[in-house]
């Protein structure tokens, strides 16, 4: 049975109880449910800790998918203790890190609105994110920053809508990325909608995001790099231009 990935319905859920269903030879832990985001689509997996009944903890270094999207593996740091199958744990996500990644991932969506070109690559980071666009036009990074901050300041709502795998397959043009496909195979796909009635944007995405654009905070385009004749790499950082993240 696929794990119950609670984060898919509540990006702000940072703790929950879960039961250990498997422990791998390499120490990876499977649970019946989880609030830990598993690395996917350019967004890193969550870190944090698993609390045992006696108050001791198991520190996690990463969260990843297994053989399918229905399998989520919680990977402890080296030399951490192993839980028992059937043991109940309390999960604690490293919330400051998760929230920073939520803000960053949302900023990437806003950049795809300002620059409506096919996306050829992306990576979400705590300090800096990047998006590669299939574009040959020259564009000023300060102009892009100003347009991004306009969207942030307008404080548009951000929410999810769900469509079926079949609906997505019938409407492939709603996917902006050329090489990263939305998570399918679970029967439903989440659309991340920005603005009332998706007035700003709507695109399939399995990542985590904030609930309104103002939460992104101050961001700027630090650099635009030419990567080939028709490819531009945009680097997004927190803070005002010239500030350190």
């Amino acid at each position: 049975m696929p794990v119950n990935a609670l984060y898919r319905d509540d990006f702000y859920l940072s703790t929950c109880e879960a039961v250990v269903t498997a422990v791998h030879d390499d120490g990876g832990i499977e649970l019946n449910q989880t609030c830990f985001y598993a690395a996917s689509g350019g967004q890193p997996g969550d870190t944090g800790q698993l609390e045992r009944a006696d108050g001791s903890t198991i520190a996690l270094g990463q969260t990843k998918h297994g053989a399918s999207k229905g399998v989520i593996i919680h990977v402890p740091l080296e030399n951490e203790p192993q839980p028992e199958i059937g043991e109940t744990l309390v999960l604690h996500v490293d919330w400051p890190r998760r929230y920073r990644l939520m803000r960053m991932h949302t900023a990437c969506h806003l950049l795809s609105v300002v620059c409506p070109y096919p996306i050829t690559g992306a990576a979400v980071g705590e300090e800096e994110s990047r998006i590669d666009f299939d574009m040959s036009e020259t564009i000023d990074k300060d102009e892009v920053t100003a347009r991004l901050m306009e969207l942030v300041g307008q404080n548009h709502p951000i929410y999810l809508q769900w469509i079926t795998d079949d609906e997505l397959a019938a409407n492939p043009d709603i996917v902006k990325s050329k090489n990263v496909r939305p998570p399918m195979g679970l029967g439903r796909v989440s659309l991340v909608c920005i603005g009332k009635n998706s007035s700003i944007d709507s695109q399939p995405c399995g990542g985590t995001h904030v609930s309104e654009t103002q939460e992104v905070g101050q961001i700027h385009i630090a650099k635009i790099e030419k990567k080939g004749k028709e490819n531009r790499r945009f680097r997004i950082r927190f803070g005002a231009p010239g500030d350190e993240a």
Side-chain angles (χ1 to χ4, degrees), residues 1 15 46 54 65 105 120 135 138 141 143 238:
M1 176 178 288
T15 186
D46 282 329
D54 62 3
H65 286 289
H105 200 150
T120 58
M135 60 182 288
T138 299
K141 63 185 177 66
E143 177 186 342
F238 286 123

Side-chain angles (χ1 to χ4, degrees), residues 55-119:
S56 64
T57 58
I58 302 168
L60 298 181
Q62 63 170 311
T63 308
K64 63 182 183 179
H65 286 289
S68 71
K69 292 292 185 181
V71 177
I72 294 178
I73 302 173
H74 307 74
V75 183
L77 295 173
E78 193 173 354
N79 298 322
E80 287 294 296
Q82 282 192 343
E84 301 291 333
I85 293 177
E87 183 175 347
T88 298
L89 304 171
V90 180
L91 284 57
H92 300 280
V93 171
D94 180 343
W95 176 248
R97 178 178 178 274
R98 155 75 83 80
Y99 188 58
R100 197 169 178 86
L101 290 169
M102 286 167 59
R103 292 167 57 208
M104 266 294 196
H105 200 150
T106 304
C108 291
H109 281 248
L110 295 179
L111 179 57
S112 75
V113 173
V114 174
C115 298
Y117 303 96
I119 296 171

Side-chain angles (χ1 to χ4, degrees), residues 126-202:
E126 296 174 65
E127 306 301 332
E128 177 183 279
S129 296
R130 67 166 175 82
I131 299 185
D132 298 344
F133 291 103
D134 183 357
M135 60 182 288
S136 57
E137 291 82 352
T138 299
I139 192 167
D140 180 69
K141 63 185 177 66
D142 293 333
E143 177 186 342
V144 176
T145 294
R147 293 174 65 188
L148 282 172
M149 287 310 302
E150 183 178 359
L151 289 171
V152 170
Q154 289 169 348
N155 204 23
H156 298 285
I158 303 169
Y159 58 96
L160 290 186
Q161 287 185 337
W162 294 94
I163 60 174
T164 66
D165 287 358
D166 290 342
E167 286 174 319
L168 177 59
N171 296 278
D173 292 342
I174 65 176
V175 181
K176 293 186 178 183
S177 176
K178 294 180 69 174
N179 56 8
V180 177
R181 309 308 297 171
M184 298 179 67
L186 298 174
R188 63 175 188 164
V189 178
S190 58
L191 295 180
V192 176
C193 304
I194 303 177
K196 186 176 180 181
N197 298 321
S198 306
S199 58
I200 302 300
D201 192 40
S202 175

